[in-house]
Amino acid sequence: MLHLRIIVPTDRSADVLDLLSREAAVTHVIVLPDAARTPPGDVVLCDVAREGADEVLDALQALGVHRSGAVVGDGVDVTLSAAADRAVDAAPGLGTDAVVWEEVAQKTGEETQLSATYLLLITLATIIAGIAVLLDQPILIIGAMVVGPEFGPLAALSVALLRWRPSVIRRSLLALGVGFLVAVVVTVLATWVLTAADLVNESMLLAERPITDFIWRPDALSWVVGFLAGVAGMLAVTSNKSGSLVGVLISVTTVPAAANAAVALAYGVFEEAVGSAVQLLINVCAIVLAGVLTLLVQRLWWHRVTARRPTLPARRMPAVLSPRIAPRRPEASEASDPAASRP
């Protein structure tokens, strides 16, 4: 379930309560009159089954609550309530299949920031993968895949393309482009330093590498692996599951290719550098395409499921007086003091 904290102007509280009362997926409704200070208004708390959360959030935005107040949602890990069980049963579908689009957009949008941490992580991952390529070591390849952070911008790009958010598209492309460019340049420099220290050499790149040789030889399976990685990544994001392991699957198709291109550039093996770059481009395009198609299928399928969701008749909510306008009762001392009533 999702727990919603809604701040709404006092004169709009009735509309919000009327909306919540008609949603079968909503329960545990609490009203705190005049409790909010910034922005001012009433505070409405409620729990919503994930299966019906998207419709509730859309309806709240249609009322303009997010402009004059606020809507904040948090996941609920433990719920012991018969009312919550009834709300979940009344909502269509399963919670793990439900797509809360605002949650997905917020989660992926945060991953498009071109931060120092992001640049450092993708650079470290590429350097580690570059050493793995030279040593033909799958263990180091796995280590680089764990470190790589590029899953976030790729997921954000897929969501932004489907919902057409040009600003998020630009930020995602910037994070991917600048991130891989910086990582490749630094990896080239790191390869030169390691070569000068006599730790690696060009013969290691030109030698037979049966384990990592696939990285710079793109073929049909490259597209298949990238496409499957994109599907798995989107399912992890939309189903509210941990995306860490899926991030590893994404990285197997991106970071090693960038690393191989960097090492090949460092040694002037341009044929291998070009092959690695093509591999990287193919994989990125396959991941994004798969992500968009997965989201589109989920949206269409979930629309069919939610078309059967029940809507309750509006339940009359008791009027709640705000503390600031509640009638003032006379104090006992005033009522008992005859002098208090004399002019």
Side-chain angles (χ1 to χ4, degrees), residues 59-81:
L60 289 172
Q61 290 185 78
L63 289 176
V65 175
H66 61 297
R67 289 191 293 269
S68 56
V71 180
V72 180
D74 295 306
V76 179
D77 295 327
V78 179
T79 304
L80 302 177
S81 167

Side-chain angles (χ1 to χ4, degrees), residues 157-208:
L157 180 58
S158 298
V159 175
L161 285 172
L162 180 65
R163 306 188 77 193
W164 193 244
R165 300 290 189 267
S167 61
V168 180
I169 293 174
R170 288 192 296 270
R171 291 202 307 269
S172 301
L173 292 174
L174 182 65
L176 290 169
V178 174
F180 278 118
L181 179 61
V182 170
V184 167
V185 170
V186 175
T187 302
V188 169
L189 297 176
T191 303
W192 289 341
V193 171
L194 293 174
T195 303
D198 200 24
L199 296 176
V200 298
N201 54 68
E202 184 178 353
S203 64
M204 300 172 69
L205 179 69
L206 300 177
E208 290 293 329

Side-chain angles (χ1 to χ4, degrees), residues 82-276:
D85 293 339
R86 289 192 295 270
V88 171
D89 292 339
L94 299 175
T96 54
D97 295 333
V99 180
V100 184
W101 290 102
E102 287 302 324
E103 179 185 56
V104 172
Q106 293 269 339
K107 185 187 303 182
T108 57
E110 294 172 357
E111 302 294 332
T112 62
Q113 302 297 327
L114 192 60
S115 63
T117 300
Y118 170 80
L119 291 176
L120 183 59
L121 285 175
I122 196 170
T123 300
L124 291 174
T126 307
I127 294 175
I128 295 172
I131 297 173
V133 164
L134 292 172
L135 298 178
D136 199 31
Q137 283 293 329
I139 298 299
L140 294 180
I141 288 285
I142 294 173
M145 287 157 20
V146 172
V147 176
E150 73 282 4
F151 170 59
L154 287 169
L157 180 58
S158 298
V159 175
L161 285 172
L162 180 65
R163 306 188 77 193
W164 193 244
R165 300 290 189 267
S167 61
V168 180
I169 293 174
R170 288 192 296 270
R171 291 202 307 269
S172 301
L173 292 174
L174 182 65
L176 290 169
V178 174
F180 278 118
L181 179 61
V182 170
V184 167
V185 170
V186 175
T187 302
V188 169
L189 297 176
T191 303
W192 289 341
V193 171
L194 293 174
T195 303
D198 200 24
L199 296 176
V200 298
N201 54 68
E202 184 178 353
S203 64
M204 300 172 69
L205 179 69
L206 300 177
E208 290 293 329
R209 292 180 285 128
I211 297 178
T212 59
D213 188 63
F214 74 96
I215 293 174
W216 68 278
R217 298 181 186 273
D219 55 19
L221 284 178
S222 302
W223 176 270
V224 172
V225 171
F227 190 88
L228 295 177
V231 173
M234 281 300 103
L235 289 176
V237 170
T238 58
S239 63
N240 203 32
K241 300 296 183 183
S242 174
S244 57
L245 292 179
V246 177
V248 173
L249 179 60
I250 297 291
S251 294
V252 75
T253 63
T254 53
V255 167
N260 203 100
V263 173
L265 283 174
Y267 289 127
V269 185
F270 297 111
E271 179 186 1
E272 191 163 332
V274 171
S276 300

